[in-house]
Amino acid sequence: MTIRVLLADDQAMIRGGLRLILEDQPDMNVIAEASDGVDAITQARRLRPDVCLVDIRMPRLDGIEVTRALAGPGVPNPMRVIVVTTFDLDEYVYGALRGGAVGFILKDAGPALLVEAVRAAHNGDALVSPSVTVRLLRHLTAPLREPDKSVRSLSEREVEVVREIARGRTNLEIGAQLFISLSTVKSHVSAIQAKLGLRNRTEIAVWAWENRIVETD
């Protein structure tokens, strides 16, 4: 199956480079490019790509606003949005993930991670640049608020799955780590989303970080 991708970046050279990387893959096809946020939303809604790669800083609407419009809370049939940016700032990371993004990749992370992120998004997983994940965990070691009471609604096994999701592991990796089948992992993920009122794996990861579910050792 070919993964249909939309690229949104205000720099033509960057879009060209991303297109070369993605179309070098046998299972990916760039179906559209947008140079500003408004055009990105318009084309995405019209073409319904499998994955949208969106830059943070763009004219008219920035990448976080685009993410919210395409994948944010209350959006029917949300799309899979990956934010790809040069700017490694916490406010951008949180804005993107809370806006519904299923990935946050730095432009200097390299082609392999970009391709992996697109495939992960298409498969319903999420991927955040490792350097960003580590920093988020470190910043969240000091308590900001009382843990969410909904933690108590999770079984011990579901908490283990939440931890693995927050560490960036895929369903296959979680199954191998916890010695359970892929179908069992998927069932746990669905149950976790229902109990916590979360829509995707990235929201589960953010929730885990905020509630100190993940150890930082």
Side-chain angles (χ1 to χ4, degrees):
M1 180 182 295
T2 301
I3 303 173
R4 301 162 62 252
V5 182
L6 177 144
L7 301 177
D9 193 295
D10 62 335
Q11 298 183 52
M13 185 177 296
I14 297 294
R15 295 198 309 273
L18 294 174
R19 177 184 282 274
L20 286 174
I21 292 169
L22 297 178
E23 294 199 331
D24 191 45
Q25 306 302 310
D27 59 341
M28 297 183 188
N29 180 36
V30 176
I31 62 169
E33 296 183 17
S35 59
D36 65 67
V38 172
D39 189 31
I41 293 172
T42 300
Q43 292 203 59
R45 288 174 173 168
R46 178 171 57 88
L47 299 172
R48 298 294 303 184
D50 299 310
V51 178
C52 301
L53 293 181
V54 177
D55 187 25
I56 284 284
R57 295 187 179 179
M58 294 188 294
R60 298 211 280 177
L61 287 177
D62 66 29
I64 293 176
E65 291 175 294
V66 172
T67 300
R68 290 193 190 116
L70 299 180
V75 175
N77 300 316
M79 299 184 202
R80 291 163 180 155
V81 177
I82 299 171
V83 171
V84 184
T85 181
T86 306
F87 304 100
D88 183 10
L89 301 177
D90 289 347
E91 62 187 282
Y92 289 161
V93 179
Y94 279 108
L97 298 183
R98 285 177 173 151
V102 296
F104 190 97
I105 304 297
L106 301 179
K107 288 179 180 176
D108 63 1
L113 192 66
L114 175 69
V115 169
E116 184 181 353
V118 171
R119 290 200 178 109
H122 185 249
N123 292 330
D125 290 330
L127 194 153
V128 176
S129 285
S131 61
V132 175
T133 302
V134 170
R135 192 180 71 252
L136 283 173
L137 292 172
R138 186 186 306 121
H139 284 188
L140 288 170
T141 54
L144 300 177
R145 57 179 174 79
E146 288 297 314
D148 193 324
K149 292 180 180 179
S150 58
V151 172
R152 301 170 192 166
S153 69
L154 301 180
S155 69
E156 184 177 343
R157 177 63 85 186
E158 287 168 347
V159 171
E160 290 176 334
V161 172
V162 167
R163 287 194 182 108
E164 298 307 317
I165 289 174
R167 289 175 178 135
R169 295 196 170 109
T170 65
N171 285 347
L172 283 173
E173 291 170 335
I174 293 171
Q177 179 71 20
L178 301 181
F179 303 102
I180 56 179
S181 69
L182 180 59
S183 61
T184 300
V185 176
K186 291 180 178 178
S187 295
H188 284 314
V189 173
S190 296
I192 291 163
Q193 289 178 234
K195 288 180 179 181
L196 301 181
L198 304 175
R199 298 183 311 154
N200 56 49
R201 298 168 64 88
T202 307
E203 290 186 0
I204 292 174
V206 171
W207 179 89
W209 296 333
E210 290 179 336
N211 287 280
R212 315 300 181 266
I213 302 298
V214 185
E215 297 88 353
T216 57
D217 52 14

